[in-house]
Amino acid sequence: MEKRYLLAPGPTAIPPEVLLKMAEPILHHRNPLFESVVEEVRANLKYLFGTKNEVLIFASSGTGAMESAVTNALSAGDKAICIRSGKFGERWANICKAYGVEAINIDLPWGDALDPALVEKTLKANPRVNAVYMQATETSTGVRFPVKEVAAIVKNYPNTLMVVDGITGVGVFELPLDAWNIDVLVGGSQKAMMLPPGLAFAAVSDKAWEFSKTSKLPKFYFNWAKERTNLEKNQTNFTPAISLIVGLRESLRMIKEEGLEHIYKRIDKLAAATRTGATALGLKVFAKSPSPAVTAIVAPVGIDGQAIYKTLWKKYGVTGAGGQDQLKGKIFRIATLGYADKYDVITAIAALEFTLRDLGYKFEMGKGVAAATDSLKDQ
Ligand SMILES: Cc1ncc(COP(=O)(O)O)c(C=O)c1O
């Protein structure tokens, strides 16, 4: 028998309470029973995304809601600043390109922190920019970007929207849409929302709703206005992912019960302990400004990062993630977002020690676990 641990930056582990709810006989979506589920979900999504406005729900992976944040806000020929410093920043630029929006890319070396002043400089140099697209966490590098600071800059540009891919940020750290003047905040179910993949979310500010009135890009499935009209009646425009929404009601109840402040602190401590454990083994954290969602660790000289990630899951039952694209073989990643606690971190660091020993890395066995455990002692 081998127990398995899912510590990837998505999909993440799902609490048994949520799994059981999703296994219940399916409801019909045009039935009052389902409408009461949607009603509760709408209220709790507003809490999670920090907004008085509706949080739109799509049956798609997170990228669907990212695409909606281009097609519902902009028109062909518009300009958008995209922060490209990893796989997901590149996705913003690619979506813009697909729809004829001119992407003005801020390219940073993968792993670097973003200086908000660079966004301001780029906005000043390009007077007609309609949107800034960025990540809260660039999952591929483990970097957290300064959303609050960039939003405070973009707020002063009435013709520019601040759009944030919060797919590995929502439910991980503070990202209140209304209080921080974020205009669109995108989420995905398979991350800190503790659900399987299949739901995408877009919280939309009043400013972004104004932009949507004049947006001319083609849209059909991902149509904000139609979704909002339906949501206000506790309905969705098309057949919803019913069982996922039933699961979402449960996961949002759990989130509300723990409270966002407590969740943010918990995840922060777990990520700090992961970094402490790894550095005690002589390893380096890759991100200059590390996100609590996921820790990217540099593979030691002479050891393939893919071998570390594969040995972790094949031999020791811990599924993290490898590096993507230019980082393949150079890093591996361990996530702490969502349904994670201190024993997950200790397990991950213990499995990492077994793995590194197998791969011939020289270190003092137990040092990482001791450091991680010590850092978690008050948890
Ligand atoms: C930051 C970020 N953006 C976008 C995505 C893409 O989401 P999806 O695969 O759900 O479309 C991911 C998924 O890993 C992500 O971590």
Side-chain angles (χ1 to χ4, degrees):
M1 200 274 285
E2 189 186 62
K3 226 167 149 178
R4 302 201 70 82
Y5 302 84
L6 183 55
L7 300 173
T12 59
I14 302 168
E17 296 90 322
V18 175
L19 288 170
L20 285 169
K21 287 288 171 198
M22 290 189 301
E24 285 179 2
I26 195 154
L27 298 172
H28 192 280
H29 58 294
R30 306 296 180 207
N31 178 301
L33 279 177
F34 186 68
E35 286 173 359
S36 72
V37 175
V38 176
E39 190 173 17
E40 183 179 334
V41 159
R42 283 171 60 202
N44 286 343
L45 281 174
K46 288 177 186 174
Y47 166 71
L48 178 61
F49 284 73
T51 180
K52 63 179 185 352
N53 288 355
E54 290 297 337
V55 180
L56 308 176
I57 309 170
F58 299 103
S60 80
S61 80
T63 306
M66 289 174 76
E67 182 165 323
S68 86
V70 175
T71 57
N72 286 266
L74 303 184
S75 301
D78 279 358
K79 290 184 186 170
I81 292 175
C82 298
I83 316 296
R84 287 198 311 183
S85 182
K87 194 174 168 63
F88 297 107
E90 288 183 351
R91 187 158 303 175
W92 278 131
N94 292 340
I95 297 170
C96 286
K97 194 169 160 218
Y99 283 101
V101 170
E102 186 188 329
I104 299 163
N105 297 316
I106 296 182
D107 287 315
L108 302 174
W110 288 28
D112 273 15
L114 169 69
D115 178 359
L118 195 54
V119 180
E120 174 117 70
K121 199 172 137 206
T122 314
L123 278 167
K124 284 191 174 142
N126 297 277
R128 271 192 48 257
V129 166
N130 306 82
V132 172
Y133 290 99
M134 65 183 282
Q135 268 60 42
T137 296
E138 174 49 78
T139 319
S140 61
T141 59
V143 170
R144 177 176 177 175
F145 286 135
V147 171
K148 187 180 185 183
E149 291 75 5
V150 176
I153 294 167
V154 177
K155 176 183 160 216
N156 302 318
Y157 291 77
N159 299 317
T160 311
L161 291 180
M162 170 71 187
V163 184
V164 179
D165 165 1
I167 291 174
T168 41
V170 173
V172 179
F173 46 77
E174 239 191 324
L175 277 176
L177 184 101
D178 296 351
W180 284 10
N181 296 291
I182 299 168
D183 293 308
V184 187
L185 180 58
V186 170
S189 54
Q190 77 275 27
K191 309 280 183 169
M193 294 169 87
M194 305 185 291
L195 288 165
L199 291 178
F201 306 90
V204 182
S205 73
D206 294 338
K207 184 175 168 186
W209 279 114
E210 280 306 309
F211 273 54
S212 76
K213 287 184 190 159
T214 53
S215 153
K216 292 194 185 59
L217 283 177
K219 45 198 144 298
F220 185 78
Y221 183 80
F222 296 104
N223 186 314
W224 284 356
K226 285 192 178 155
E227 286 302 339
R228 181 170 66 174
T229 306
N230 278 282
L231 263 190
E232 285 166 352
K233 294 180 278 185
N234 296 317
Q235 286 289 339
T236 53
N237 197 17
F238 301 103
T239 308
I242 298 167
S243 300
L244 290 180
I245 292 179
V246 168
L248 175 63
R249 173 168 66 173
E250 193 60 27
S251 66
L252 288 171
R253 280 179 181 173
M254 292 177 71
I255 287 170
K256 198 114 192 263
E257 195 180 309
E258 182 174 355
L260 286 176
E261 247 178 72
H262 191 273
I263 292 175
Y264 301 152
K265 276 193 197 138
R266 168 171 55 84
I267 297 180
D268 221 36
K269 284 184 185 160
L270 298 181
T274 307
R275 295 192 296 269
T276 302
T279 46
L281 296 173
L283 305 177
K284 277 205 191 83
V285 173
F286 180 70
K288 300 248 168 70
S289 167
S291 169
V294 55
T295 302
I297 301 165
V298 180
V301 179
I303 298 182
D304 178 15
Q306 286 302 99
I308 297 176
Y309 144 70
K310 283 185 187 158
T311 307
L312 272 172
W313 71 260
K314 280 192 187 157
K315 196 162 171 196
Y316 296 110
V318 172
T319 303
Q324 294 168 289
D325 296 348
Q326 58 173 265
L327 293 178
K328 200 164 189 168
K330 296 186 179 147
I331 62 163
F332 60 96
R333 293 171 294 156
I334 295 169
T336 35
L337 75 173
Y339 188 54
D341 77 358
K342 56 180 175 273
Y343 299 108
D344 291 308
V345 172
I346 294 166
T347 301
I349 300 293
L352 178 60
E353 291 198 8
F354 289 138
T355 297
L356 291 171
R357 184 193 54 185
D358 291 356
L359 296 173
Y361 178 65
K362 297 278 173 274
F363 67 104
E364 191 186 320
M365 196 79 188
K367 222 175 160 186
V369 171
T373 308
D374 188 54
S375 124
L376 289 165
K377 64 181 182 302
D378 300 324
Q379 265 287 83

